[in-house]
Amino acid sequence: MLEKKVETFNMNRVIEDFEEMSRNADQVQIQTLKDILLKNHSAIYLKNFGINGTTTDPEAFKALVPLVTDFELEPYIQRMVDGDTSPILTGRPVPAISLSSGTSQGRPKFVPFTDELMENTIQLFRTAFAFRNREFPIDDNGRALQFIFSSKQYTSTGGVPVGTATTNVYRNPNFKSGMRSIQSLCCSPDEVIFSPDVHQALYCHLLSGILFRHQVQYVFASFAHGLVHAFRTFEQVWEEIVADIKEGVLTSRITVPSVRSAMSKLLRPNPELADTFRTKCLSLSNWYGLIPALFPNAKYVYGIMTGSMEPYVKKLRHYAGELPLVSHDYGSSEGWIAANVTPRLSPEEATFAVVPNLGYFEFLPVSETEKEPVGLTDVKIGEEYEVVITNYAGLYRYKLGDVVRIIGFYNKTPQLKFICRRNLILSINIDKNTERDLQLSVESAAKRLSEEKIEVIDFSSHVDVTTEPGHYVIFWEVSGETEEDVLQDCCNCLDKGFIDAGYMSSRKCKTIGALELRVVERGTFRKVQEHFLGLGSSAGQFKMPRCVKPSNGKVLKILCENAVSRFFSTAFD
């Protein structure tokens, strides 16, 4: 059935469908909840709360089913992973289980993946593409340079396929037909996407892009981090790519047989392209405008650039030159939520319109005074909320942990801006600092570093309570060497950058110790990424953990062992 849905693509029809759905968002929400509950009426979890096949009213549903987090659902999902085929969370056994990236908690968590989630993915991609293609039309023979990586699925002891959310999507038989219908053929062969070696895959993605350089209409990775990492890698390997193209022989660094065979079929000796390519690279000043130089017909660069990806936007804009940066849609391992229907907005201004039939959505006010969640169409502009989702994959009133701000409405459906993860990441006593607070502090301090023509490549943090009093530790990887007094200034800026009243008062009365900046050697954060890839994360799904908790001992060890200098703030002395 899904195959038929994705065979053809009519941009205007897709936009009209979304317009109608968004005009009737309140009614669509009621119908979506009804569909979810009827489809999963036999689920043991729902029956435990008195939900039966006749319960479809939203108010009755909310009165019976509590708000939950992954902690409460973990035992149920574990039974599914272990092979229990009874209707635990869903009416039918799930065909696969997704793994989250695991960067927040130090370990991946399991999330049910169903056929309905695959349909949602295709629907959201089609909706976002329609609005994007209206603004940035791509040619019929256009290709996309997509830095996508599908890690291996494995089978649990209970016989259930397990993989990252991206892997479950890419390995789904309907993915390729869905992408073909929206005219975004990938430059790279499938063997590259499914390569077991992500480093070899990345090299081949870059090489494939160059071979199809005039057909490339846009450049994509799931996250801005992936795009920046790809082109940082390009700076190191471009001469090797030139040699491959000139001789028509693939470098010996590619050893995976299937990848080597597939890429060798694309290569022919092409000295002219190699010379053009070399000239382009040598003509660039500090690699500014690299992407349009390599791909002259590219219309935009596409990926998630909001939230924890914002720190990479500056470098990505450097590579993109004048090309527009278009923010990817809003979702998580648990499912998709909203589409970017205003693709010309910059990453800093990007908003996302909730797609009302992807799930039943509630919004829990972040305000201390209001604790009851409100419905999709009852949110207030300017207010911040935590997203609560009920979907077809067995998540019921599930607190996603994301804080969003309501920027406006697209017809009757709200337009969101992602703000941060809800959970506090830095707190010792009365101080409360989120991922967003850390990000703002780093951005402020990095301005001092930029005066020396040096940039922060990546960063993370840790609360060290082994000392008395406890203190914040910030880890930085920077692009070059500088004077110690500059880094000391940066350390002081970091400390003063946390403007939370509880933190500032605690620093002044010395119940929180001086902030510590540890500069790590180049390549340290790549080692952190390798660690998470070893746990099963997909390279395309990876997000750098912004706070390393004591339970994440391996990552903390990597950061501490690679520290090359330490500075303690004197800002409150």
Side-chain angles (χ1 to χ4, degrees):
M1 188 171 78
L2 185 57
E3 286 278 4
K4 293 179 182 177
K5 286 186 179 180
V6 299
E7 280 174 3
T8 59
F9 179 78
N10 183 317
M11 181 183 76
N12 292 328
R13 176 63 185 274
V14 171
I15 292 175
E16 288 169 9
D17 286 348
F18 182 76
E19 292 284 348
E20 182 179 358
M21 191 186 305
S22 61
R23 281 193 295 268
N24 299 288
D26 47 356
Q27 294 303 311
V28 173
Q29 279 284 278
I30 293 171
Q31 185 60 46
T32 299
L33 178 62
K34 182 178 181 179
D35 290 345
I36 291 170
L37 296 179
L38 289 176
K39 230 169 203 184
N40 296 325
H41 72 276
S42 60
I44 295 169
Y45 180 85
L46 291 176
K47 288 184 175 181
N48 287 345
F49 294 108
I51 297 287
N52 54 49
T54 61
T55 308
T56 58
D57 175 67
E59 294 308 315
F61 169 71
K62 289 185 284 186
L64 292 169
V65 178
L67 296 170
V68 295
T69 66
D70 60 295
F71 178 79
E72 286 87 5
L73 292 186
E74 188 174 11
Y76 295 92
I77 298 174
Q78 189 61 52
R79 285 171 59 186
M80 299 161 79
V81 174
D82 292 341
D84 188 336
T85 57
S86 57
I88 299 170
L89 291 173
T90 56
R92 294 177 299 169
V94 297
I97 294 287
S98 292
L99 282 167
S100 72
S101 61
T103 53
S104 300
Q105 299 171 311
R107 60 177 178 80
K109 64 184 178 188
F110 294 123
V111 180
F113 184 88
T114 64
D115 292 338
E116 290 83 3
L117 284 191
M118 188 64 211
E119 289 191 30
N120 286 350
T121 299
I122 295 296
Q123 180 194 341
L124 181 121
F125 282 4
R126 284 159 60 84
T127 300
F129 178 79
F131 283 92
R132 204 165 65 247
N133 202 48
R134 185 171 67 176
E135 299 294 329
F136 307 104
I138 65 173
D139 298 337
D140 289 342
N141 65 341
R143 288 180 177 264
L145 172 54
Q146 301 188 54
F147 295 103
I148 53 180
F149 308 88
S150 179
S151 56
K152 284 185 176 180
Q153 281 180 321
Y154 70 89
T155 302
S156 72
T157 53
V160 182
V162 178
T164 64
T166 49
T167 294
N168 287 336
V169 168
Y170 296 148
R171 289 187 178 274
N172 190 287
N174 295 304
F175 173 74
K176 197 167 185 179
S177 59
M179 292 300 97
R180 186 181 298 115
S181 74
I182 57 175
Q183 307 170 14
S184 53
L185 289 176
C186 187
C187 293
S188 307
D190 287 351
E191 290 83 355
V192 173
I193 295 170
F194 296 106
S195 168
D197 187 307
V198 295
H199 304 294
Q200 294 184 35
L202 176 54
Y203 181 93
C204 291
H205 278 316
L206 291 166
L207 174 57
S208 298
I210 300 302
L211 293 175
F212 291 104
R213 65 187 296 262
H214 287 290
Q215 294 181 47
V216 172
Q217 301 285 293
Y218 66 90
V219 179
F220 166 80
S222 294
F223 295 111
H225 169 272
L227 289 162
V228 170
H229 174 62
F231 289 105
R232 284 192 194 278
T233 300
F234 179 86
E235 291 183 36
Q236 301 165 3
V237 303
W238 71 273
E239 290 180 293
E240 203 169 342
I241 293 176
V242 169
D244 287 358
I245 294 170
K246 183 177 182 179
E247 303 298 330
V249 178
L250 191 62
T251 173
S252 60
R253 74 160 65 216
I254 308 304
T255 58
V256 177
S258 60
V259 176
R260 190 165 186 88
S261 173
M263 289 302 299
S264 295
K265 292 175 184 176
L266 296 181
L267 277 172
R268 297 289 183 274
N270 194 336
E272 184 179 351
L273 175 58
D275 288 343
T276 300
F277 177 37
R278 175 184 287 277
T279 302
K280 289 282 185 186
C281 291
L282 293 175
S283 70
L284 297 174
S285 174
N286 194 29
W287 300 103
Y288 176 81
L290 171 61
I291 297 173
L294 295 181
F295 313 110
N297 295 314
K299 308 288 175 52
Y300 55 88
V301 179
Y302 186 46
I304 293 173
M305 302 178 193
T306 54
S308 62
M309 293 298 116
E310 283 185 23
Y312 306 106
V313 169
K314 182 179 179 181
K315 185 65 175 180
L316 182 56
R317 192 167 272 130
H318 178 85
Y319 285 133
E322 299 301 314
L323 274 183
L325 301 182
V326 180
S327 294
H328 197 358
D329 312 291
Y330 171 45
S332 65
S333 297
E334 289 83 357
W336 289 104
I337 297 164
N340 183 354
V341 299
T342 51
R344 284 198 178 273
L345 291 179
S346 69
E348 294 84 356
E349 299 172 315
T351 62
F352 307 94
V354 177
V355 182
N357 71 339
L358 295 185
Y360 180 73
F361 300 104
E362 299 172 72
F363 294 84
L364 188 61
V366 174
S367 163
E368 297 285 336
T369 57
E370 296 184 61
K371 289 300 179 184
E372 288 302 312
V374 299
L376 179 71
T377 58
D378 298 320
V379 293
K380 296 177 181 177
I381 294 175
E383 295 295 311
E384 293 184 359
Y385 301 89
E386 179 178 3
V387 180
V388 178
I389 185 172
T390 295
N391 69 10
Y392 289 95
L395 303 182
Y396 306 100
R397 308 198 76 201
Y398 178 89
K399 294 165 68 175
L400 204 56
D402 288 354
V403 174
V404 298
R405 181 180 298 130
I406 308 303
I407 303 301
F409 284 86
Y410 189 96
N411 294 322
K412 284 188 176 181
T413 197
Q415 288 185 287
L416 320 173
K417 183 176 179 63
F418 178 87
I419 301 301
C420 63
R421 294 288 292 167
R422 175 101 192 223
N423 55 314
L424 297 174
I425 63 169
L426 293 169
S427 182
I428 294 174
N429 47 44
I430 63 170
D431 52 312
K432 296 179 179 180
N433 284 299
T434 66
E435 180 178 322
R436 179 64 175 162
D437 297 320
L438 171 63
Q439 187 172 304
L440 291 171
S441 174
V442 170
E443 286 175 2
S444 176
K447 291 176 182 175
R448 174 67 183 94
L449 202 60
S450 66
E451 294 172 7
E452 310 298 320
K453 308 297 183 188
I454 295 172
E455 60 185 341
V456 177
I457 293 175
D458 225 325
F459 66 94
S460 191
S461 66
H462 172 63
V463 171
D464 186 350
V465 291
T466 62
T467 61
E468 183 59 43
H471 68 288
Y472 292 4
V473 180
I474 311 297
F475 298 95
W476 269 12
E477 183 176 326
V478 298
S479 61
E481 296 184 5
T482 188
E483 299 295 327
E484 288 196 357
D485 62 339
V486 173
L487 290 169
Q488 183 62 56
D489 287 347
C490 290
C491 182
N492 292 347
C493 285
L494 285 166
D495 204 5
K496 290 185 291 186
F498 290 104
I499 59 174
D500 167 66
Y503 180 78
M504 293 177 69
S505 62
S506 297
R507 284 288 288 117
K508 287 173 182 175
C509 66
K510 302 193 184 306
T511 55
I512 293 179
L515 180 143
E516 180 182 358
L517 170 62
R518 297 189 193 181
V519 180
V520 298
E521 64 182 23
R522 289 290 294 271
T524 296
F525 281 91
R526 186 172 292 191
K527 293 178 183 177
V528 172
Q529 182 178 7
E530 294 290 343
H531 165 71
F532 282 107
L533 295 183
L535 292 178
S537 290
S538 163
Q541 192 175 320
F542 174 75
K543 291 177 285 189
M544 189 62 67
R546 293 304 180 208
C547 181
V548 182
K549 298 178 180 178
S551 59
N552 207 342
K554 177 62 177 176
V555 172
L556 191 58
K557 183 179 180 183
I558 293 170
L559 292 170
C560 292
E561 288 182 348
N562 286 276
V564 293
S565 56
R566 301 170 65 183
F567 302 87
F568 287 89
S569 170
T570 58
F572 290 87
D573 288 357

